[in-house]
Amino acid sequence: MIYLDYNATAPLREVAHAAMLNWLQQPSGNPSSIHRLGRNARQALDLARRQVAQLFAVHDSQVIFTSGGTEANHLALFTAMLQSQMQGHIVTTAVEHASLLAAAEGLQRRHELSVTRVLPERDGRITVEAVASALRPDTRLVSVMAANNETGVLHPIAAIARLCHERGILCHSDAVQLAGRLPVTLAQLGCDLLSVSAHKMGGCPGVGALLVGKGVAVEPLLAGGGQERGRRSGTENLPGIVAFGAVAHHLNEATITAESQRICLLQTQLEEAIRTNLPDCVVVGTETERLANTTLVVCDGLDGEALVMNLDLAGFAVSGGAACSSGKAGLSHVLSAMGMGESLARSAVRISLGWQTEPSHITALVAAFTKVVERLRPHHHRPMDK
Ligand SMILES: Cc1ncc(COP(=O)(O)O)c(C=O)c1O
């Protein structure tokens, strides 16, 4: 199986695997226990926290480990709005990940606050102007994702954060798809709250972090044992956190830059081949800045789900435009928000590359993709139809 679905999850990196295995093979305690095994566990936790902090150039105390991007997004929205007694206005976008959209909707349903979902341009990009024009005097939080999981389109977070700070508004960004793919620090992005997830970077699923700006107070979503400085209770997922630390340590500015340059060449290879072999297929978001690993292809008249299933049979793991946990293909809210018609949006196939992708994988995928598209084309006549 050739795996080209890194935006869903990335294969575990060797450094993460080794660190996790090493940790699991040792006798271990709870980092909150004061005996030796507890202290060892605390040391491992502190080291992983420092490694994650270093990747984003923040202080250790600015890292709150969570169960992943979903929880980090919920914690960000919850803590930001609790600061204004669950009142006021949130500005987010119509292209966010479901976890962010659901967190915002949950707050809206249960409290007296309102939410504006800014629409992207046709190319998928959220502009600073669109965010600015959605702001109101009672806006308390702006939450815009750094990179879209379906299209890979990058949004101008630093400029949005500046705009927020001029108006005294908190700024959050879901950087789950950006983290580890481009070298960025919290200061460069400029936001107050940043969500990241280990498994998109080659760590384990079920671990992530919310990075908090200096002086930003955090109210816990989960209370209890007071872990994470009282900001997120629950015994820490140490095997996962140790693996996350190892990945963060491996991914410094130089390694991320080298990997993203290598992947960018593969993306060019892929998209040029698609343009040559399948001139009526279109790559989404080419007019704007995108992640180097993400290629979303639409082929009018074809069924994205059928394309994905046929590619699966041919030995390739890719996704439809809107992967959802039920496994059923829904219509992508991202493509709809971009103004794409239903039939085109239904044809979307997302190919996302990563640390294990090789040029030969791209060559093989393009050959299989071309064959499958030819076979599934509505006007295709099989020999026996003649
Ligand atoms: C943009 C974005 N945000 C959040 C998440 C959720 O992260 P996790 O799977 O760690 O909960 C994902 C995962 O698909 C994502 O792509």
Side-chain angles (χ1 to χ4, degrees):
M1 193 77 176
I2 293 181
Y3 189 81
L4 297 166
D5 199 13
Y6 280 72
N7 288 11
T9 195
L12 198 66
R13 287 183 194 260
E14 281 134 30
V15 285
H17 186 256
M20 192 173 188
L21 211 61
N22 180 42
W23 179 252
L24 288 170
Q25 279 163 351
Q26 295 175 24
S28 155
N30 185 319
S32 299
S33 298
I34 58 172
H35 49 67
R36 193 185 320 136
L37 292 182
R39 293 198 306 276
N40 284 351
R42 167 68 50 189
Q43 262 181 10
L45 178 63
D46 289 348
L47 173 64
R49 191 186 306 286
R50 193 160 323 122
Q51 289 169 323
V52 172
Q54 269 168 3
L55 176 59
F56 300 102
V58 296
H59 188 264
D60 301 3
S61 62
Q62 293 176 264
V63 176
I64 304 175
F65 285 121
T66 66
S67 64
T70 300
E71 186 190 327
N73 282 344
H74 278 257
L75 178 58
L77 261 57
F78 177 81
T79 197
M81 295 317 286
L82 208 59
Q83 286 174 24
S84 59
Q85 286 75 47
M86 291 296 178
Q87 285 176 348
H89 177 230
I90 300 175
V91 172
T92 184
T93 82
V95 297
E96 298 297 311
H97 184 261
S99 58
L100 196 292
L101 290 175
E105 203 202 299
L107 289 177
Q108 190 176 19
R109 209 172 340 106
R110 289 187 210 102
H111 303 281
E112 282 181 21
L113 46 78
S114 49
V115 180
T116 300
R117 295 164 190 87
V118 173
L119 286 173
E121 301 291 293
R122 288 192 86 83
D123 61 11
R125 187 170 166 93
I126 298 289
T127 64
V128 186
E129 294 71 31
V131 173
S133 61
L135 297 180
R136 303 191 325 208
D138 65 339
T139 306
R140 301 282 174 247
L141 173 72
V142 169
S143 177
V144 178
M145 72 196 326
N148 186 268
N149 45 301
E150 291 185 32
T151 58
V153 167
L154 299 170
H155 302 306
I157 301 304
I160 291 171
R162 270 197 301 280
L163 169 76
C164 291
H165 293 155
E166 282 162 19
R167 315 267 185 112
I169 300 168
L170 277 175
C171 181
H172 166 249
S173 182
D174 172 348
V176 164
Q177 295 290 349
L178 181 75
R181 302 240 171 91
L182 283 174
V184 284
T185 64
L186 183 64
Q188 282 165 347
L189 291 172
C191 35
D192 305 291
L193 298 156
L194 195 76
S195 302
V196 298
S197 175
H199 73 106
K200 311 285 181 180
M201 299 162 52
C204 284
V207 195
L210 182 67
L211 309 177
V212 290
K214 285 212 178 92
V216 177
V218 174
E219 289 288 336
L221 193 58
L222 303 177
Q227 287 89 346
E228 300 298 296
R229 296 173 178 242
R231 298 173 297 182
R232 197 279 185 184
S233 285
T235 303
E236 300 86 349
N237 169 4
L238 217 44
I241 289 174
V242 163
F244 188 13
V247 167
H249 181 62
H250 169 72
L251 290 175
N252 53 43
E253 192 177 339
T255 53
I256 296 177
T257 306
E259 191 166 280
S260 90
Q261 282 169 354
R262 192 183 74 79
I263 290 172
C264 192
L265 294 175
L266 298 173
Q267 183 184 51
T268 307
Q269 181 195 345
L270 170 65
E271 296 184 3
E272 275 174 4
I274 290 175
R275 255 174 244 122
T276 311
N277 289 11
L278 300 161
D280 49 355
C281 290
V282 177
V283 176
V284 176
T286 47
E287 318 81 49
T288 188
E289 273 185 286
R290 262 181 317 146
L291 287 173
N293 84 313
T294 310
T295 297
L296 187 76
V297 190
V298 288
C299 317
D300 207 5
L302 291 181
D303 174 10
E305 200 183 343
L307 285 168
V308 171
M309 296 314 292
N310 276 272
L311 283 170
D312 175 42
L313 290 174
F316 298 87
V318 299
S319 268
C324 63
S325 56
S326 66
K328 278 185 278 171
L331 198 60
S332 155
H333 69 279
V334 175
L335 298 180
S336 301
M338 288 164 63
M340 192 179 282
E342 191 176 326
S343 126
L344 197 54
R346 276 203 191 287
S347 72
V349 172
R350 182 186 69 189
I351 302 155
S352 49
L353 323 180
W355 68 271
Q356 277 185 326
T357 313
E358 304 277 342
S360 62
H361 298 167
I362 303 294
T363 311
L365 171 82
V366 170
F369 195 66
T370 307
K371 248 197 222 158
V372 169
V373 168
E374 297 293 334
R375 194 163 65 227
L376 295 179
R377 260 191 230 284
H379 53 77
H380 176 79
H381 297 288
R382 279 161 291 174
M384 52 193 278
D385 295 339
K386 283 185 188 159

